[in-house]
Amino acid sequence: QVQLVESGGGLVQAGGSLRLSCAASGRTFSQYAMGWFRQAPGKEREFVASITWNGGITYYGDSVKGRFTISRDNAKNTLYLQMNSLKPEDTAVYYCAGSAHSIAGSTTSVYDYWGQGTQVTVSS
């Protein structure tokens, strides 16, 4: 069982940066692939990025490639999302998710655990 708590969201101007964190409880965090998703009002949940259990492989959604970086610190049971060059269209609630698979991609159904989300608002 893994519990996930996101933090680091807030209001930022376009072009700015934010770093989201996802603190995980449980001793099995290092065994899980992890991902970030986001959901804007009236839209479906969208894949942002994912990372394998050891951080060796990362995947990104097309809309964030080159601007966002996913990383993890297994010693701290924490997942990160560094977001640079933010745009108003990045405004959404951001969720971290954990998968019992060693590799997880963009499909929400492969993720077993979800956080409550943190709001990111980018003003123009």
Side-chain angles (χ1 to χ4, degrees):
Q1 191 81 2
V2 176
Q3 292 185 327
L4 305 172
V5 179
E6 302 95 335
S7 63
L11 174 64
V12 64
Q13 289 188 330
S17 298
L18 280 176
R19 187 176 82 155
L20 304 183
S21 299
C22 174
S25 64
R27 294 178 293 176
T28 58
F29 172 78
S30 62
Q31 300 173 15
Y32 283 70
M34 299 295 296
W36 287 99
F37 289 77
R38 67 187 183 186
Q39 190 165 18
K43 295 188 177 181
E44 293 186 352
R45 193 162 294 191
E46 176 189 14
F47 171 73
V48 174
S50 65
I51 189 168
T52 52
W53 67 277
N54 63 352
I57 301 174
T58 57
Y59 301 98
Y60 294 93
D62 288 341
S63 61
V64 306
K65 281 180 182 177
R67 300 188 298 123
F68 291 11
T69 303
I70 188 171
S71 62
R72 66 190 297 163
D73 185 337
N74 286 344
K76 296 182 178 180
N77 278 12
T78 304
L79 176 73
Y80 302 100
L81 184 68
Q82 179 66 44
M83 306 186 295
N84 298 329
S85 303
L86 284 160
K87 306 175 181 179
E89 50 264 43
D90 294 318
T91 295
V93 176
Y94 284 71
Y95 299 91
C96 70
S99 172
H101 301 282
S102 58
I103 299 176
S106 60
T107 305
T108 56
S109 61
V110 303
Y111 291 88
D112 305 286
Y113 303 103
W114 293 83
Q116 293 300 306
T118 185
Q119 176 71 48
V120 171
T121 303
V122 184
S123 63
S124 57

